[in-house]
Amino acid sequence: MELELSETLQPVIDGLSENYPDKVIEVYQSSGDTFVRIEVDANIEICKYLKEEHHFIYLADILGADRFTSEERFEVIYNLVSLRDRQRLFVKVWLEEENPEVESLTSLWTSANWLERQTHDMFGVNFVNHPDLRRIYMPEDFEYYPLRKEFPLLGIPGSIELPSSTPDTE
Amino acid sequence: MDTKDLKNKVNPKFFKKHQESLYQALEDKHTTVEVLDSEDPLNTKMVLNMGPQHPATHGVLRLVLQLNGELIEKAKLDIGYLHRGVEKIAENKTYQEFMPYTDRMDYLSPYSNNVAFCTAVEKIANVEVPERAHYIRMIGCELARISSHLLWLGTMVQDAGAVSFFLWTFREREKIYDIFDNIGGHRFTISHSRIGGVANDLTSDAIAMIKDFVDNFPKELEDYHNLLDRNRIFFDRNEGVGVLKTEDALDYGATGPTLRGAGYAYDIRDFAPYCRYDEVEFEIPTRLEGDNLARYYVRMEEMQESIRILRQCLDKLPKGPVRADNAKQAYPSKDEVYYSMEGMIHDFMMTDTGICPPEGSESYHAIEAPKGELGFFIQSNGTGHPWRLGIRSPSFANLQVLENILDGEMVADTVIMIGGVDPVMGDSDK
Amino acid sequence: MGIENSLSEGYLTTKVDTLVNWARSNAAWPMPMGLACCAIEMMSFAAPKYDSARFGSEVFRFSPRQSDLMIVAGWVNYKMSHAIRRIWDQMPDPKWCIAMGACASTGGMHRCYGVVQGCDNFLPVDAYVSGCPPRPDALIHALMKIQDKIRTEHSVKLDT
């Protein structure tokens, strides 16, 4: 596969392939951005390696996505930025549908706290060892995960309560 | 405080599980460092709820604070009171149909959100935008930045107590609204940007109004500086309040003026320039202290730099078309639509199907919105609707920073700190 | 007002009515429920160019106990709707409500799971303002319509 990596990104990819050859599943580029797909259990060690060795000290975003395939349905995408080398790298993991679990990155970056809560709220991904895994947008009483493809756009009637249109008498 | 006590304090009338888990999380915060003393004869400890409806929380933000007298021991933020599911809506709309939704995200500077979305789609679909459109977008973005910072200034200083500032900054904002009215027909949520360029050209009237504004605004800015820069009360209220230490700033995920006030000169206009920002000269104001005063200075200087960029854009504005000519990627101009068959068919196809980025492609593009790094992550499946549109909103990241720096401050400073961090709830609760 | 009880609509009641309604309509203090982009237009409505103070809406009282007109500006979430209802219940009678903007009136462009399709699902709305966001002139028009509505009320009978 032809990868046109910039000179600062090439040593990062080389370092990853040397140190973690069996954990890096594929490296590809799309529209100028570089994506690295890794094994689910290796996400903390690879992110730690990227943070310490290659100076990716800023975690810009954690996104979830629903591939809607029968195997490995969900993916979690980490958006890492290196200020020293002025580059961005995306690290992906693919999770299965039955029990989507991945290790939490709050030990590396405190900003992962709310970002993982957002992914949990929208997709139902469970982040192991997260200090405070609650829903962030929808109230806790809500039982569904809105951004999954099978959740209808208009919502499920009765899933969330509306106040009464008569005043509270107490 | 044990759990039995908690259940007595919280008596939720609606969303029982939500309120109980929120108060439980507040109690669990920092439990390792807390000294467990059950003696509280004067009842100085209390849990205060700055509810979603509050005059000074800049929208619907809820804070639950545990107070010890006037000192905040721990704080928890509850957001989501303005959540609509914009990312879900995006999966059902074409790229151009989604444009008005981006306007309503960071509703203080809607032009920047439009440009962010357009540049992200243009990146994934590989659309060439003409030069004049780039400069018009830059002019719009910088005007939106000035408008957003003026509102921040007005409301933050009003929350600090100087109520008349609100009226003065709104008077200036009305001038910017008049410019936007002339450009796009609407006062602020204009959706002027189109994929492939902008909707229509600037008239000579609009350019005259912008020149007028650029000439008169620095004088107003100087007036604001004269009032606040040597003001004892303003200094006392802002200095040393809400300090974000430099080593914590990147860890907590700060972005925009909050990050630049803490020492990192990270500005997307400089990091990954878009829209001809590499051809204009401007500086990135940075401060090292990290307190509210530093954020104030950063934003005031950013307004000055915006005026500088506007002057350069007006000088360099090239002549030419304002939208890409490719019929599969951009709407044809109205002349073609009304007077030629192909134009009409292309207009119909663009509205019906829209632009189709290649299947399986994904890309991320960020711009420097007034609040910070606003980025769109698009995954495409070959159709005119995105498969996944992820939005990286700056206010979400800045609110997380707020949750971490509130501990240890006085309760009266909460309002100032929220104003200094400048969140917009439509942006953080997408 | 015990005497008025026995008199239903007589000369005295209508005169008192007119006086009371004149006072109420020219001092409709709004309670801004500014949620989203329409809140910015509501702030412009209070700002110098489209002054709301000249219509009697002098102060924007953020306390429900001290206001009589609630302006719901912006889309209403299911999570937020309970808070809005509680605030509405806390406002003392007589009170009126303006649903400002397309989102507060009908859900607007946000036809999705999180947004209540119109705040009249749980609030009794008196005036709807269309627009996204409506110009401050449109909000002034709505305020004037509410003032007209107040002037035709039977205030004395309402209070007893």
Side-chain angles (χ1 to χ4, degrees), chain B residues 234-254:
Chain B
F234 190 70
F235 258 70
D236 280 345
R237 281 221 78 170
N238 281 310
E239 198 171 12
V241 165
V243 176
L244 176 64
K245 299 200 203 56
T246 315
E247 60 261 17
D248 287 335
L250 284 181
D251 191 38
Y252 289 161

Side-chain angles (χ1 to χ4, degrees), chain B residues 86-130:
Chain B
V86 150
E87 298 178 345
K88 184 100 189 165
I89 294 177
E91 292 169 10
N92 296 319
K93 304 253 174 226
T94 65
Y95 290 95
Q96 188 56 55
E97 274 180 353
F98 188 64
M99 194 72 67
Y101 291 90
T102 59
D103 262 325
R104 274 98 185 145
M105 272 175 17
D106 175 2
Y107 40 80
L108 298 184
S109 60
Y111 208 102
S112 321
N113 309 12
N114 283 339
V115 169
F117 182 64
C118 282
T119 44
V121 177
E122 284 154 13
K123 182 175 174 191
I124 192 176
N126 221 355
V127 179
E128 275 285 321
V129 175

Side-chain angles (χ1 to χ4, degrees), chain C residues 108-131:
Chain C
M109 62 159 75
H110 303 295
R111 187 139 171 78
C112 59
Y113 61 90
V115 176
V116 180
Q117 303 291 304
C119 71
D120 49 5
N121 279 321
F122 57 95
L123 283 181
V125 176
D126 292 298
Y128 296 86
V129 190
S130 62

Side-chain angles (χ1 to χ4, degrees), chain B residues 13-15 18 52-53 55 60 78-85 88-89 100-101 104 107-108 151 166-167 170 173-174 177-178 181 186-189, chain C residues 31-37 40-41 43-44 46-50 62 75 77-80 82-83 86-87 109-110 112-115 132-133 135-136:
Chain B
K13 299 275 186 307
F14 48 87
F15 296 140
H18 178 74
Q53 191 271 333
V60 282
D78 190 17
I79 65 175
Y81 288 92
L82 211 60
H83 174 70
R84 325 154 246 186
K88 184 100 189 165
I89 294 177
Y101 291 90
R104 274 98 185 145
Y107 40 80
L108 298 184
L151 195 136
F166 176 77
L167 301 173
F170 263 77
R173 289 189 86 231
E174 288 291 334
Y177 279 178
D178 285 337
D181 212 352
H186 193 112
R187 281 155 56 92
F188 58 109
T189 51
Chain C
M31 184 170 122
M33 185 55 69
L35 303 164
C37 0
I40 312 295
E41 286 296 42
M43 286 199 242
S44 297
K49 190 168 177 186
Y50 301 95
F62 285 90
W75 63 86
N77 209 352
Y78 279 90
K79 204 168 164 183
M80 186 65 195
H82 295 268
R86 281 173 78 78
I87 291 177
M109 62 159 75
H110 303 295
C112 59
Y113 61 90
V115 176
C132 192
R135 289 184 72 101

Side-chain angles (χ1 to χ4, degrees), chain B residues 128-140:
Chain B
E128 275 285 321
V129 175
E131 283 294 308
R132 192 172 168 93
H134 278 302
Y135 280 91
I136 294 179
R137 280 179 181 177
M138 270 168 52
I139 290 176

